[in-house]
Amino acid sequence: LSAVARLCVCDLLVAQCDVNCCCDPDCSPEEFSLFTACSVPVVTGDSHLCRQKAAVYSLDVGADPPERIFQLIDQVNPSIFCIHATNYKQALYLRSPEMPTPENFDDLLNEFGSAAFSAEPESWNMDTDAPDPPDANETQRYEYGVPVQTEDAFLKLPSPVVSSWCSDANPAGFLVNQATKCIRSVSVEKCESIQALNMLFYINSSILAVPKSSQMVNISVQSIVVQSLDGMRTLLKGADVPRLPMILDELCLNIVLGVSYHITYTDTGEIIEAAAAFVLGAITKEALSIQQSFQISFTQVDTKPVPLSGNPGYVVGLPVRAGFMPQGYPFPAEFLFAALVLVHLHKPFLAWTSVKYICIKEITAAMKCQPLAQTLLDVLKGQNFPEYVASFGNSQAQDVLDWVPITHLHISEQRISNTLQSSCQIPVSFGIEVEWTKYGSLVNPQARIVNVTATLTTTTLKQLPSGRERTIPVTSSVVFTDISSPAEPGYKAWPTINIKLPFDFFYPFV
């Protein structure tokens, strides 16, 4: 088949038929019969060539049913200025550069290390039997949103369509974390033959390490959880062998209720590992359908995944995300993430959950002022208190404007006693106020943090006489304050357009 017959500029949907796209290889004869016209009737290659192949598409509306007509013709360029032959194949496309490695570094240094080097080919002879140059759109690495390829098609993540029924035509996009739930029709009598209920359906196809390569990455079984009919789940130990659906009495066992893919990739866009965690269950003969859940996540090798607390706005009950500005910013342009914690409890405080904790500290005359003050400060504030808080639950490290600096206030309470001669300042209270506002559409407002204030309160502690002791309360608190502007009386508010959409909202249009 000629290269021009493989070109199709109107083929936009992956593994689906595009309407009126007569060159779409995913369209069946039945779908062609529903077309009204060919959106792209002629497909050609380089228009500068004197002679070239052209793919011509049309519809025979007189046939019953209507059918597509495909012709491959020789097209002659009428211009007197045209290219007769391309004897320098390397000029037709950009070659992927050779990546330096410990083995080839010396050779690359000798070839390209001088002030000038030649890029001419070793020979200019016309090689008519040379293989076709690679597709200009071919990439040697995965990019964001590109469907993850397998040896036979794409890694598919079932998703709901009409009436929430599962469709297996949804490709998983690289770096696009997804979570879906859908309904699958089942029956005990046929459960052993339904592919979507079988573990092998989700792990049999190997993933391509990079697009259009021969390097394969097998999908390993990370874990298997078995769910009983009453909902109790049990993790199987050492379960690396697939369990296939089987009929026992009036039950069908080991059917897939959920799949979670985890993909590990390198900073060059190469997939190096793929694993799947399964939830298996059972159905009775009365069951006509089941709900299946599917999930996929991506983690760069040698890094720890950063969980989100909303997409985009914060979700009540999830940790507030915070971090530090690295030394030498903006190089590298990233934050060191950390959970904003109340150190004495060793727990992250949760979004929109106001709390207050009080503990009692006993103080004796033998205690030194400065060590005591530092101990109380470490308890209240911690040694690594963050500098910034994420405005949104999905704020990324590189989005600098999405991070709010924490404002620090210091309040000193003066307590004077004439009976004691010396005194020192000790911290007795540490409070965090998080101001947030509703952001975006009034129909679906998103919670956005706009200001964070940390207030440290100290008090004057007089030196106690020998043998005496006293107790003082030490308080820490977190308060969330809604500062959204209320609508004026009698004014009908319309949804605003300053909406921060989820990063995968326009998938697969990147």
Side-chain angles (χ1 to χ4, degrees):
L1 189 63
S2 175
V4 73
R6 296 194 296 266
L7 298 177
C8 190
V9 295
C10 57
D11 184 9
L12 303 178
L13 300 177
V14 177
Q16 298 184 43
C17 179
D18 292 80
V19 178
N20 290 338
C21 184
C22 295
C23 55
D24 191 342
D26 299 316
C27 296
S28 64
E30 291 76 13
E31 290 169 322
F32 284 133
S33 66
L34 302 176
F35 287 4
T36 57
C38 292
S39 57
V40 180
V42 180
V43 179
T44 60
D46 190 349
S47 59
H48 295 91
L49 296 178
C50 298
R51 298 180 63 89
Q52 61 176 320
K53 293 289 185 180
V56 180
Y57 301 91
S58 61
L59 293 176
D60 184 2
V61 295
D64 187 19
E67 59 183 14
R68 182 198 70 165
I69 300 177
F70 166 72
Q71 291 179 304
L72 191 63
I73 64 174
D74 288 321
Q75 185 170 284
V76 178
N77 191 340
S79 175
I80 60 174
F81 298 103
C82 59
I83 299 175
H84 177 68
T86 55
N87 55 4
Y88 182 25
K89 298 291 184 179
Q90 296 182 6
L92 300 179
Y93 61 94
L94 295 176
R95 292 187 302 171
S96 298
E98 186 177 359
M99 300 300 296
T101 64
E103 291 76 19
N104 66 2
F105 182 81
D106 292 337
D107 295 336
L108 293 177
L109 184 63
N110 293 333
E111 184 178 357
F112 302 106
S114 59
F117 52 86
S118 174
E120 294 183 358
E122 296 179 358
S123 61
W124 288 86
N125 62 316
M126 294 179 60
D127 184 7
T128 56
D129 297 328
D132 292 336
D135 187 355
N137 294 326
E138 181 177 345
T139 178
Q140 295 302 313
R141 64 186 181 92
Y142 280 107
E143 297 178 351
Y144 174 81
V146 173
V148 177
Q149 298 181 12
T150 61
E151 54 188 335
D152 51 1
F154 302 99
L155 180 63
K156 299 172 182 176
L157 200 71
S159 60
V161 287
V162 181
S163 300
S164 300
W165 292 102
C166 291
S167 169
D168 297 320
N170 176 42
F174 184 63
L175 299 186
V176 179
N177 294 332
Q178 297 186 65
T180 62
K181 291 183 179 180
C182 55
I183 298 174
R184 184 89 61 179
S185 177
V186 297
S187 66
V188 170
E189 295 79 9
K190 300 179 181 179
C191 75
E192 294 179 336
S193 60
I194 301 176
Q195 287 187 330
L197 304 182
N198 195 317
M199 282 182 58
L200 297 179
F201 179 71
Y202 303 97
I203 61 175
N204 258 2
S205 297
S206 298
I207 294 176
L208 304 190
V210 294
K212 300 182 180 180
S213 71
S214 58
Q215 184 179 354
M216 303 291 181
V217 177
N218 294 327
I219 304 176
S220 61
V221 178
Q222 187 177 49
S223 63
I224 298 178
V225 173
V226 176
Q227 177 175 303
S228 62
L229 289 175
D230 58 3
M232 182 177 296
R233 293 188 174 187
T234 303
L235 176 64
L236 299 182
K237 295 183 179 180
D240 54 356
V241 178
R243 292 195 167 197
L244 306 182
M246 57 177 296
I247 299 175
L248 181 63
D249 296 333
E250 296 182 348
L251 297 176
C252 183
L253 309 178
N254 300 330
I255 65 170
V256 175
L257 298 179
V259 184
S260 294
Y261 290 108
H262 185 75
I263 308 295
T264 304
Y265 65 96
T266 66
D267 56 356
T268 59
E270 177 184 357
I271 294 177
I272 58 174
E273 289 182 5
F278 289 89
V279 176
L280 304 182
I283 56 172
T284 62
K285 65 176 182 179
E286 291 81 12
L288 300 178
S289 63
I290 61 169
Q291 184 184 66
Q292 292 180 308
S293 61
F294 302 93
Q295 204 168 11
I296 187 169
S297 60
F298 297 82
T299 301
Q300 184 173 326
V301 65
D302 298 329
T303 62
K304 293 182 179 180
V306 180
L308 302 182
S309 294
N311 191 17
Y314 275 100
V315 176
V316 176
L318 295 181
V320 173
R321 304 173 68 232
F324 306 89
M325 180 82 75
Q327 188 175 5
Y329 184 82
F331 305 105
E334 60 182 12
F335 284 84
L336 175 62
F337 283 109
L340 188 56
V341 297
L342 295 173
V343 181
H344 65 287
L345 293 177
H346 301 285
K347 291 182 179 179
F349 74 73
L350 306 181
W352 283 250
T353 305
S354 299
V355 294
K356 183 177 183 179
Y357 299 98
I358 301 177
C359 63
I360 302 299
K361 179 65 177 177
E362 293 184 353
I363 301 176
T364 65
M367 292 182 176
K368 301 296 183 181
C369 175
Q370 293 304 324
L372 174 61
Q374 187 61 48
T375 299
L376 291 175
L377 185 63
D378 291 343
V379 169
L380 290 172
K381 185 178 179 181
Q383 299 179 355
N384 294 306
F385 192 80
E387 301 171 348
Y388 293 84
V389 170
S391 296
F392 295 95
N394 69 345
S395 296
Q396 301 298 310
Q398 62 271 19
D399 299 333
V400 181
L401 298 180
D402 263 8
W403 293 82
V404 177
I406 299 176
T407 303
H408 292 269
L409 299 179
H410 183 197
I411 300 177
S412 177
E413 297 179 353
Q414 298 292 336
R415 295 181 182 178
I416 301 176
S417 175
N418 296 326
T419 60
L420 300 177
Q421 297 179 353
S422 60
S423 64
C424 71
Q425 291 284 324
I426 63 170
V428 292
S429 175
F430 185 69
I432 301 174
E433 183 182 14
V434 181
E435 296 180 338
W436 65 281
T437 182
K438 299 181 179 70
Y439 183 88
S441 170
L442 296 178
V443 179
N444 183 26
Q446 301 293 304
R448 175 190 183 185
I449 294 177
V450 295
N451 185 55
V452 179
T453 304
T455 303
L456 177 67
T457 303
T458 61
T459 188
T460 302
L461 178 67
K462 299 297 182 178
Q463 181 66 41
L464 295 174
S466 178
R468 296 283 301 276
E469 67 179 27
R470 63 176 293 191
T471 59
I472 60 171
V474 181
T475 307
S476 64
S477 62
V478 179
V479 177
F480 290 85
T481 305
D482 183 3
I483 61 171
S484 303
S485 299
E488 297 180 4
Y491 173 75
K492 184 177 181 181
W494 291 89
T496 59
I497 60 173
N498 56 337
I499 302 173
K500 181 182 175 71
L501 296 173
F503 68 94
D504 56 352
F505 184 83
F506 290 106
Y507 178 80
F509 302 103
V510 179

